[in-house]
Amino acid sequence: MNEPQKAQSALAYVRETAQKFLDRETAGGILLIIATIVALFLGNSQFSEMYHHYLKDEFVIEFSEHFNFGLTIEEWINDGLMAIFFLVAGLELKREVLVGELSSFKKASSPLLAALGGMIVPALIFASFNSGTAYIRGWGIPMATDIAYSLGIIGLLGKKIPSQLKIFLVALAIADDVGAILVIALFYSSQISWFYLVGGLGIFVGLLVLNKIRVKNLLWYITGGIVLWYFFLNSGVHPTIAGVLFAITIPVRPKLDSKHLKDRTTRNLGQLEEADIETKNPLQDIKQRLILKAIKKDTENSRPPLLKLENSLIDFNAFFIIPIFAIANAGVKLDVSFLEVVSSSLGLGVIAGLAVGKVTGISLFTWLGQKIGVSSIHSSLKWKHILGVGMIAGIGFTMSLFITNLAFTNPELVKVSKISILIASSIAALIGVLILFLSSPVKQKNKNIKTLHRIR
């Protein structure tokens, strides 16, 4: 296998991973909608008290008689499972930076500028409503885009939208996640414990050293990652940041490169030809079994550890972590009227920030990038597509709920913020889908009409 073929093979593998990511996130977004409905039902039904009671129950892990470790169920979800969510986000980011839509300035400039605008403008809108009030701490709430919800919604449109628009949204949302991570680390951390923070950074450096000396066994990294999370949990910096730092340390190069894989596979296949494959199957012939086992092991060792870990966590992230987070955090009691929410500067700031600020910031910064010549959008995309995806990016949900929990401790403020997020996300989703639906090509619409007539 020559160098161009190896590069093409590696690129195909990455594309396959990216496509799986898109498909899973689309299905995961639909599951997230169901989880949100379940949470709202639990929070507003006769089971409400029991629902909140169980979330506050403590779950303890006992390592020995003298050492145990416990968090409430809600903390295990928000501080534990969400660290894995951020780990997956970090792995996706690393992949995109290395070989994906963020791998060059030309590719990255447009979604990066869009993400920047989609963070700055909503924060400014929120601040304009809440400057000088106790609510100003929530300025980070409308900055976030929920990648699972957004892709789930956009996936429902199928081929009505260009495939490049999904790629643009993924790159934008990943960049947006990076912004949210920085905001959480810098502005939503509690009192710092320097002992644990320095210890955590020491573990991080240790994992980087493992990468540098080419240790490929993921078990070492996972062990170090758990210790890293524990240190950050006690450091005052939110433990989800440990997930991102952990992702940075994961090796990209596989144990076995393509050249060695080819040589070893050729040798193994030669040995297989010498075996009695005409009259015996692997079950009857131990030599065949050993050769096949060696081929399988070599193939597994040729997979980059980063993609191996990402692929192993994508389903768990999309189909378990995010829906569980929604069930634990979206069950807000809807006993506040719409007028009460929008008459509050907090509610108005969140709704305007997500439903107006996101689309304004994304469209404005994308346009500015083109005007000054530092970025361009794909030829298949029109401005109506940018407006539509800008609205859909206003679905803050998971990350907005997450930042709400960090911004406020007052239950009433948390309630108003969460209801505002639900209202804004619903508005953004409905208008975004409508814009993109009406943006589908006329030819496609006419073709659909003719097909319906033939069926009738």
Side-chain angles (χ1 to χ4, degrees):
M1 188 183 288
N2 56 35
E3 289 299 321
Q5 286 176 323
K6 286 197 289 184
Q8 190 173 6
S9 176
L11 189 59
Y13 184 75
V14 172
R15 282 176 178 165
E16 183 186 352
T17 298
Q19 187 57 50
K20 286 179 181 177
F21 165 71
L22 283 171
D23 293 342
R24 286 162 174 158
E25 289 293 347
T26 300
I30 296 169
L31 182 60
L32 182 53
I33 295 171
I34 297 170
T36 305
I37 294 169
V38 170
L40 288 171
F41 168 76
L42 291 173
N44 292 274
S45 68
Q46 60 187 1
F47 307 109
S48 176
E49 189 175 335
M50 182 175 65
Y51 162 71
H52 290 290
H53 171 75
Y54 277 122
L55 287 174
K56 299 300 179 186
D57 269 0
E58 191 173 26
F59 180 77
V60 179
I61 299 176
E62 291 190 10
F63 295 97
S64 68
E65 186 180 344
H66 303 289
F67 180 69
N68 55 57
F69 175 71
L71 296 171
T72 65
I73 299 297
E74 188 173 32
E75 287 170 338
W76 276 112
I77 293 169
N78 293 345
D79 296 344
L81 288 180
M82 287 302 285
I84 301 175
F85 170 86
F86 277 88
L87 165 61
V88 175
L91 293 170
E92 289 161 0
L93 173 66
K94 190 170 180 178
R95 168 170 52 80
E96 292 294 328
V97 168
L98 291 172
V99 291
E101 292 303 309
L102 303 176
S103 60
S104 68
F105 180 78
K106 184 179 179 181
K107 287 182 176 181
S109 55
S110 186
L112 282 178
L113 277 174
L116 187 63
M119 290 184 285
I120 291 174
V121 175
L124 289 175
I125 288 176
F126 182 91
S128 69
F129 282 106
N130 295 283
S131 180
T133 72
Y135 309 145
I136 191 62
R137 185 167 166 75
W139 62 271
I141 296 171
M143 292 177 67
T145 292
D146 188 306
I147 189 168
Y149 244 130
S150 299
L151 280 175
I153 294 296
I154 209 171
L156 296 175
L157 293 168
K159 294 182 179 179
K160 287 184 177 295
I161 57 170
S163 59
Q164 283 295 325
L165 191 62
K166 292 181 182 179
I167 295 171
F168 180 84
L169 176 60
V170 169
L172 183 157
I174 289 174
D176 191 286
D177 279 348
V178 175
I181 290 161
L182 291 173
V183 166
I184 291 167
L186 296 174
F187 301 102
Y188 290 105
S189 295
S190 55
Q191 189 174 354
I192 302 297
S193 167
W194 290 105
F195 171 79
Y196 281 105
L197 181 59
V198 172
L201 292 175
I203 298 295
F204 173 62
V205 171
L207 290 171
L208 288 176
V209 170
L210 286 181
N211 191 330
K212 187 69 176 176
I213 61 176
R214 301 191 174 185
V215 173
K216 306 298 182 184
N217 192 330
L218 282 173
L219 184 61
W220 290 102
Y221 292 92
I222 291 169
T223 303
I226 293 170
V227 178
L228 178 67
W229 171 80
Y230 178 79
F231 272 78
F232 268 81
L233 179 69
N234 293 282
S235 71
V237 176
H238 201 273
T240 52
I241 304 303
V244 182
L245 294 178
F246 179 40
I248 293 171
T249 70
I250 301 300
V252 175
R253 292 181 180 179
K255 287 183 182 179
L256 201 63
D257 62 29
S258 298
K259 182 180 182 302
H260 286 96
L261 175 66
K262 176 195 169 187
D263 294 341
R264 291 167 70 104
T265 303
T266 301
R267 187 167 63 251
N268 283 323
L269 289 175
Q271 291 177 358
L272 191 62
E273 287 178 358
E274 294 173 4
D276 188 9
I277 58 176
E278 298 295 334
T279 59
K280 292 182 180 180
N281 61 44
L283 189 63
Q284 299 167 315
D285 187 356
I286 188 170
K287 184 178 179 181
Q288 290 185 49
R289 290 205 301 273
L290 290 173
I291 294 169
L292 293 173
K293 185 178 179 181
I295 292 173
K296 181 181 178 182
K297 184 179 179 181
D298 287 344
T299 304
E300 185 66 19
N301 287 337
S302 70
R303 294 176 63 205
L306 184 143
L307 291 178
K308 192 186 296 186
L309 184 59
E310 183 186 349
N311 285 339
S312 67
L313 289 175
I314 286 178
D315 283 340
F316 183 62
N317 187 52
F319 301 124
F320 183 76
I321 293 177
I322 299 175
I324 287 293
F325 176 84
I327 290 173
N329 289 275
V332 58
K333 195 167 184 63
L334 302 176
D335 56 356
V336 180
S337 70
F338 178 78
L339 286 176
E340 287 180 273
V341 173
V342 296
S343 63
S344 159
S345 62
L346 171 59
L348 205 54
V350 172
I351 294 170
L354 284 171
V356 179
K358 273 288 182 183
V359 64
T360 303
I362 288 169
S363 303
L364 178 62
F365 274 57
T366 303
W367 177 81
L368 284 174
Q370 284 199 306
K371 273 294 180 184
I372 61 179
V374 297
S375 67
S376 61
I377 59 174
H378 194 269
S379 58
S380 65
L381 302 182
K382 309 301 179 188
W383 280 106
K384 53 194 175 184
H385 294 130
I386 302 299
L387 286 172
V389 86
M391 281 302 309
I392 286 178
I395 305 172
F397 202 72
T398 303
M399 289 306 301
S400 293
L401 291 176
F402 189 74
I403 294 175
T404 294
N405 293 333
L406 301 178
F408 302 120
T409 55
N410 185 315
E412 289 303 312
L413 299 186
V414 171
K415 181 193 294 186
V416 170
S417 296
K418 287 186 176 182
I419 293 174
S420 302
I421 291 165
L422 292 171
I423 293 171
S425 296
S426 300
I427 293 171
L430 289 171
I431 297 177
V433 166
L434 183 62
I435 291 172
L436 292 176
F437 183 80
L438 295 176
S439 299
S440 58
V442 175
K443 285 183 180 179
Q444 182 68 33
K445 289 180 182 177
N446 291 338
K447 184 179 176 183
N448 291 342
I449 292 169
K450 287 178 183 177
T451 302
L452 283 173
H453 280 309
R454 282 201 300 271
I455 293 170
R456 287 172 183 171

